[in-house]
Amino acid sequence: MSSTLTAPAGVGPRTIVLPGNGTQAASYVLPPGLLQYVQSVLAEVDATAAGSVRPTLSIAEQSGVVIATKRQSEAIPGGGTGSATWALRLTDDPSPRAAPLFNTQIRYVGAGADDVYQYETGLGSGRFGAGVVGVELTMVWTMTNGKPIWVTVFNADDRPLSARIDRAIVQKIGATTRESLQGLAISIAPGATGTLPWTNHLGGSVILDRATLDSPTPFVTDTYAISVTVEVG
Amino acid sequence: MATDVATSLPDLDLRDQSILTVDTGDAAAIITSLVIHVAQDIPPEALALLPALLTYQSAEA
């Protein structure tokens, strides 16, 4: 004689899928009367009309008191889509990505706040040599209008250093390198901002405009990458 | 271009009716779906019956 045990009525599935409600936040309340051990949370994010984002998971008890928050260490770039996962037994990104020497910003130059587009990232990769620490930042973005952009590299607050921009390359994805910059010195004080000099600049910032890139195709739909290597002496 | 990011989940012993909230931090960055995976969903009432079930012996045994 065999018997089958079935879950009592009211027991939910092991995977709960909720649609978004068109806002920046979504919540799920663990059902009452159940013991549930959360293993993972996955959020799909549409940032096509936004800047880069690092979603945060917050956990609150029934009373509403937040007992933990966890922000993604990497960003979903603005202008794109992506997913953010929080899961048990995942390790956070190892240093130096978790504690970057440099952060970067790429901005459209514009008069109003609405014209500013920022992309912030940590280190894309690192390389280490005798007496020299080299870091490389790679940023990819899609131009959504014809405005020029500028690039700023600044170091983390707790890392006093002087740096030399070894090279900065602007590259159209799928095409040859458009511009490069070699061996220009830059000094960055702790917590300060240093800017990349460029052949075409405005207000001390780097300007990568359509003329500089000499793009034969409409700028508004091209995707470019900037690769910046900084040597720290 | 889709970008997938991941990080560790706080390993907490949560009570029922705890609230999980994901916020992108930007009003223009919209959450299109949220998926939560749980390892167990045994109601306390069922757990309360476990001792009795474990000690139960069928008359046919």
Side-chain angles (χ1 to χ4, degrees):
Chain A
M1 180 179 178
S2 64
S3 61
T4 302
L5 294 176
T6 58
V11 174
R14 292 188 59 189
T15 299
I16 300 101
V17 181
L18 303 171
N21 61 0
T23 68
Q24 69 183 81
S27 295
Y28 175 70
V29 181
L30 297 180
L34 297 178
L35 295 180
Q36 297 199 335
Y37 299 94
V38 179
Q39 295 248 310
S40 67
V41 176
L42 167 66
E44 297 287 345
V45 177
D46 181 353
T48 52
S52 64
V53 292
R54 289 169 53 200
T56 298
L57 171 69
S58 64
I59 302 171
E61 290 217 290
Q62 182 181 1
S63 63
V65 175
V66 175
I67 58 174
T69 61
K70 182 72 181 206
R71 191 183 188 194
Q72 291 288 340
S73 57
E74 292 185 281
I76 298 172
T81 60
S83 68
T85 299
W86 293 262
L88 295 177
R89 293 180 289 277
L90 282 183
T91 57
D92 287 338
D93 295 328
S95 180
R97 182 181 288 270
L101 279 172
F102 295 94
N103 294 312
T104 60
Q105 289 184 343
I106 301 175
R107 289 183 177 179
Y108 292 127
V109 173
D114 293 341
D115 293 329
V116 174
Y117 172 88
Q118 293 187 357
Y119 184 110
E120 301 180 17
T121 183
L123 299 181
S125 62
R127 58 184 174 83
F128 302 92
V132 175
V133 177
V135 294
E136 184 170 349
L137 312 171
T138 301
M139 300 150 282
V140 179
W141 76 100
T142 300
M143 304 297 289
T144 55
N145 58 39
K147 294 179 180 178
I149 61 171
W150 56 270
V151 180
T152 297
V153 178
F154 59 96
N155 64 317
D157 293 343
D158 58 346
R159 302 298 182 98
L161 54 88
S162 63
R164 184 176 70 91
I165 301 300
D166 183 58
R167 61 187 170 88
I169 295 173
V170 180
Q171 187 172 23
K172 180 182 176 183
I173 299 300
T176 58
T177 297
R178 297 292 178 179
E179 289 285 341
S180 65
L181 183 69
Q182 296 285 342
L184 295 177
I186 181 173
S187 294
I188 307 174
T193 297
T195 57
L196 293 171
W198 201 264
T199 55
N200 185 3
H201 61 86
L202 177 66
S205 301
V206 178
I207 297 296
L208 310 175
D209 59 12
R210 185 170 182 171
T212 303
L213 295 168
D214 192 25
S215 173
T217 55
F219 205 32
V220 292
T221 58
D222 291 344
T223 300
Y224 291 86
I226 283 184
S227 174
V228 179
T229 297
V230 180
E231 290 190 353
V232 182
Chain B
M1 182 179 67
T3 301
D4 300 322
V5 298
T7 193
S8 59
L9 174 72
D11 190 1
L12 300 172
D13 182 13
L14 299 177
R15 298 286 303 274
D16 62 348
Q17 294 187 282
S18 292
I19 307 162
L20 306 174
T21 301
V22 176
D23 193 324
T24 66
D26 186 334
I30 297 167
I31 294 176
T32 55
S33 72
L34 190 64
V35 180
I36 297 103
H37 183 74
V38 296
Q40 297 181 30
D41 48 7
I42 304 173
E45 292 79 3
L47 287 178
L49 294 175
L50 278 180
L53 289 172
L54 293 173
T55 56
Y56 172 79
Q57 291 186 354
S58 169
E60 298 177 2

